[in-house]
Amino acid sequence: MSRPEQAAAPTPGDPSGPPAAASTPSGVGARPKRRRWGRIALVALLAVALLGAGGAVAGALWLRSVERGVDRVDAFAEVPEQERPATAARGALNVMVLGSDSRDPDGTQGSRADTIIVAHLPKDRSSAELISIPRDTWVPVPRSADGRQGGREAKINAAYAWGGVPLMVRTVEQFTGVRIDHVVLVDFAGFREIIDALGGVEITSEKTFTSIHPPFRTFRQGPQLMDGETALDYARQRKQFADGDFARIRHQQQVIKAILDRAASGGILANPGRLNAFVRATSDSVSVDRGMSLLDMATQLRGLRGGNLFFFTSPSRGTGTVGSESVVFADDRRARTLYDAVRRDAVKEIVAAGS
């Protein structure tokens, strides 16, 4: 297994010129209160799953300590109950995971949700089904609470800029028909430290390619051990792939699975130093809604491993343009089948519809 690739000093700059920033709807965005949210946004669930796997009193003590320091957000404020989907499967949970990469060299100014995931946790908690919704998916966005934004179709990530987490909840619930029970956000700044605390993660690159960002690493085809900075760079790459942002989603999913696999098999629970670094990096990065108990979630996810973590991408008909914006068009029929299975907690149907 090779060490992370460190590119030799190539000619500075991307020969194709600076990457174009993604177009987003105009308007004054709601600014995040204390931090911006990270791209690899399931670290929160992975962390509590890891500690739950420990099963020791020490894990509970750690989580109680961590839980007191985790930021809370009013995720469901300004979400009218009368417009929300009904709960169809008692005991199952649906967690919306949001992230944006404030340090992405391709990023634009302002608050955007670059990563949107609906994570379904079945009633028996035997698995987790993670559905990534492309950030450019063209959907109806409800009007914001102040009445100044929304009320029209736009890219789905515009909802976060226009009305913060509550408008994202409303938009995702309207798009999917799935009731969101909890929200998780992760500060991107902690991503590197989290992976480094695990001693790196193993990622298999589908092809050999060179990063478009300094220091212009070359990722060789096949498996390789990546430290936090290298994995972060890998997760950002999309312009070298024919399917663009779908490749970025695929890379995110690889890194999420690799984090969980490494955490479960890397002996971190037996290494107090690494455990301390991992938990502290995670707790510094995570924000959750006010109703989420990390201790309860850890207990429920104690059996979660890479082998029972399933990744899907929300069905689409492909890409196109609306006016001057490049967008992703949802495949309404296939999406309706997938999200109806999520709503009913029909795991086999989720897998069939998402495959």
Side-chain angles (χ1 to χ4, degrees):
M1 181 168 57
S2 63
R3 291 289 178 185
E5 293 287 348
Q6 299 295 330
T11 302
D14 178 7
S16 63
S23 173
T24 55
S26 60
V28 178
R31 296 189 180 278
K33 290 188 176 179
R34 291 180 55 191
R35 57 183 76 214
R36 294 183 181 181
W37 312 116
R39 170 184 297 270
I40 308 302
L42 262 185
V43 172
L45 293 183
L46 304 184
V48 295
L50 168 67
L51 289 177
V57 173
L61 294 176
W62 264 111
L63 270 179
R64 288 193 181 96
S65 173
V66 168
E67 189 154 30
R68 286 194 294 270
V70 168
D71 284 352
R72 300 282 173 169
V73 295
D74 288 319
F76 301 100
E78 304 170 350
V79 180
E81 182 61 35
Q82 64 271 20
E83 74 175 31
R84 303 193 67 193
T87 299
R90 299 288 178 185
L93 287 178
N94 298 297
V95 181
M96 183 175 71
V97 184
L98 298 178
S100 69
D101 190 349
S102 62
R103 295 183 188 176
D104 188 344
D106 290 350
T108 58
Q109 298 297 318
S111 304
R112 300 183 304 148
D114 288 336
T115 296
I116 305 163
I117 297 174
V118 175
H120 177 72
L121 306 177
K123 181 178 180 179
D124 63 8
R125 303 296 189 266
S126 61
S127 63
E129 290 70 43
L130 281 63
I131 305 169
S132 295
I133 302 175
R135 60 187 177 182
D136 293 339
T137 302
W138 194 251
V139 299
V141 177
R143 188 166 296 280
S144 59
D146 63 9
R148 298 168 60 185
Q149 302 288 351
R152 65 179 180 85
E153 291 188 328
K155 294 180 180 182
I156 194 168
N157 68 347
Y160 187 71
W162 290 345
V165 177
L167 190 58
M168 276 302 304
V169 171
R170 294 175 62 196
T171 302
V172 169
E173 286 190 338
Q174 180 174 298
F175 172 62
T176 64
V178 172
R179 186 181 181 95
I180 300 300
D181 300 296
H182 292 295
V183 175
V184 175
L185 310 100
V186 177
D187 183 359
F188 173 74
F191 172 69
R192 181 180 60 190
E193 287 76 15
I194 288 167
I195 289 182
D196 287 344
L198 291 171
V201 292
E202 185 174 320
I203 302 291
T204 299
S205 177
E206 62 202 86
K207 70 175 185 178
T208 297
F209 66 96
T210 299
S211 170
I212 62 173
H213 305 131
F216 307 106
R217 297 174 178 86
T218 295
F219 295 95
R220 303 294 179 188
Q221 184 176 20
Q224 52 216 275
L225 182 66
M226 299 185 188
D227 61 16
E229 194 69 44
T230 305
L232 168 60
D233 190 22
Y234 177 83
R236 286 172 170 160
Q237 303 307 308
R238 61 189 175 91
K239 293 182 178 293
Q240 308 91 320
F241 297 82
D243 53 352
D245 205 48
F246 291 96
R248 181 185 66 87
I249 290 173
R250 192 164 59 250
H251 295 163
Q252 290 175 3
Q253 293 173 342
Q254 282 184 279
V255 174
I256 290 169
K257 185 176 184 298
I259 291 173
L260 185 56
D261 285 340
R262 188 73 168 180
S265 62
I268 191 171
L269 287 167
N271 187 322
R274 278 194 177 181
L275 178 60
N276 178 69
F278 178 78
V279 172
R280 289 305 173 193
T282 303
S283 62
D284 287 345
S285 303
V286 171
S287 292
V288 299
D289 67 87
R290 294 193 181 279
M292 177 182 277
S293 166
L294 297 183
L295 184 57
D296 288 348
M297 189 66 73
T299 302
Q300 294 175 33
L301 298 181
R302 62 186 179 273
L304 195 61
R305 297 292 184 273
N308 49 11
L309 198 63
F310 301 96
F311 294 95
F312 310 99
T313 300
S314 192
S316 71
R317 294 184 286 112
T319 59
T321 58
V322 175
S324 61
E325 297 189 90
S326 297
V327 305
V328 173
F329 294 110
D331 185 323
D332 293 332
R333 180 186 61 80
R334 291 173 56 217
R336 188 162 47 247
T337 299
L338 173 62
Y339 291 119
D340 181 64
V342 171
R343 191 177 58 83
R344 293 182 289 104
D345 192 24
V347 174
K348 290 183 179 179
E349 293 180 36
I350 296 172
V351 173
S355 301

